[in-house]
């Protein structure tokens, strides 16, 4: 809460993200600051444990912090990301707008939250054809695995 209360640039960036998120029925401030927003503690725990809120909050805080740093002359030359922060990196690199980046992040979180809780994700480093062969030849795997993202130079 300290950054939010004591740094106008951070607060304004968070409020901008809040306005964007509310268009998709996501209340970031209720999840982050439930006491100030009049929400009970138990509601806070339920919201921040949902994938859609986790990803949206990560985006909003990351974006707001980057704006704060930029306001004092600190900018990044390189950005590193993983799957849940890819839209944040694209936004900070000015490839997409903050609105598009946050909306895509929320949509991604909504899709992930629709998966059964018994599912898991795995990153595999190998040739695509080899992976497809392994999945196809294993009867247990062929019924329970779906490829969602393939990153390849080809």
């Amino acid at each position: 809460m300290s950054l939010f209360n004591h740094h106008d640039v951070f607060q304004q960036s968070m409020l901008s993200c809040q306005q964007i998120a509310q268009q998709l029925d996501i209340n970031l401030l209720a999840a982050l600051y439930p006491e100030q927003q009049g929400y009970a503690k138990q509601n806070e725990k339920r919201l921040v444990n949902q994938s859609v809120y986790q990803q949206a909050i990560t985006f909003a805080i990351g974006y707001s912090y980057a704006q704060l740093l930029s306001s004092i002359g600190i900018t990044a030359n390189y950005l590193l990301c993983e799957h849940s922060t890819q839209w944040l990196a694209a936004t900070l690199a000015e490839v997409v707008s903050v609105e598009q980046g946050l909306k895509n992040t929320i949509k991604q979180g909504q899709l992930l939250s629709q998966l059964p809780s018994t599912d898991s994700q795995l990153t595999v480093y190998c040739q695509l054809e080899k992976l497809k062969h392994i999945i196809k030849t294993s009867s247990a795997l062929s019924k329970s695995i779906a490829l969602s993202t393939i990153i390849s130079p080809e």
Side-chain angles (χ1 to χ4, degrees):
M1 193 67 177
S2 197
L3 283 174
F4 187 83
N5 284 334
H6 300 292
H7 296 281
D8 290 339
V9 172
F10 185 89
Q11 184 182 62
Q12 289 306 311
S13 297
M14 286 294 292
L15 291 173
S16 294
C17 289
Q18 168 72 356
Q19 288 178 335
I20 295 165
Q22 282 183 319
Q23 294 173 19
L24 298 173
D25 296 323
I26 301 296
N27 190 336
L28 298 176
L29 298 181
L32 284 170
Y33 313 116
E35 298 84 16
Q36 285 75 22
Q37 300 298 311
Y39 292 92
K41 267 288 204 203
Q42 63 202 65
N43 188 38
E44 169 204 9
K45 290 180 179 159
R46 190 173 66 239
L47 291 177
V48 298
N49 287 329
Q50 296 175 21
S51 292
V52 65
Y53 276 90
Q54 291 169 352
Q55 292 194 17
I57 288 168
T58 299
F59 181 98
I61 290 174
Y63 175 75
S64 299
Y65 191 62
Q67 296 308 302
L68 175 61
L69 292 175
S70 178
S71 75
I72 59 173
I74 300 171
T75 57
N77 290 326
Y78 300 96
L79 300 170
L80 298 174
C81 67
E82 49 90 26
H83 77 92
S84 68
T85 58
Q86 63 192 352
W87 290 108
L88 173 59
T91 300
L92 296 176
E94 299 179 350
V95 175
V96 298
S97 68
V98 64
E99 181 173 9
Q100 193 60 54
L102 181 53
K103 284 182 175 182
N104 287 346
T105 298
I106 291 170
K107 290 290 187 186
Q108 180 177 323
Q110 289 170 333
L111 291 171
L112 285 173
S113 69
Q114 293 172 6
L115 294 173
S117 61
T118 57
D119 285 359
S120 60
Q121 297 179 21
L122 177 67
T123 301
V124 179
Y125 297 96
C126 73
Q127 293 179 337
L128 179 58
E129 292 309 314
K130 183 176 182 178
L131 180 59
K132 284 182 178 180
H133 176 73
I134 292 169
I135 293 170
K136 185 177 180 180
T137 58
S138 170
S139 61
L141 291 178
S142 66
K143 295 177 185 171
S144 62
I145 288 187
L147 298 176
S148 65
T149 305
I150 300 166
I151 300 173
S152 171
E154 299 170 3

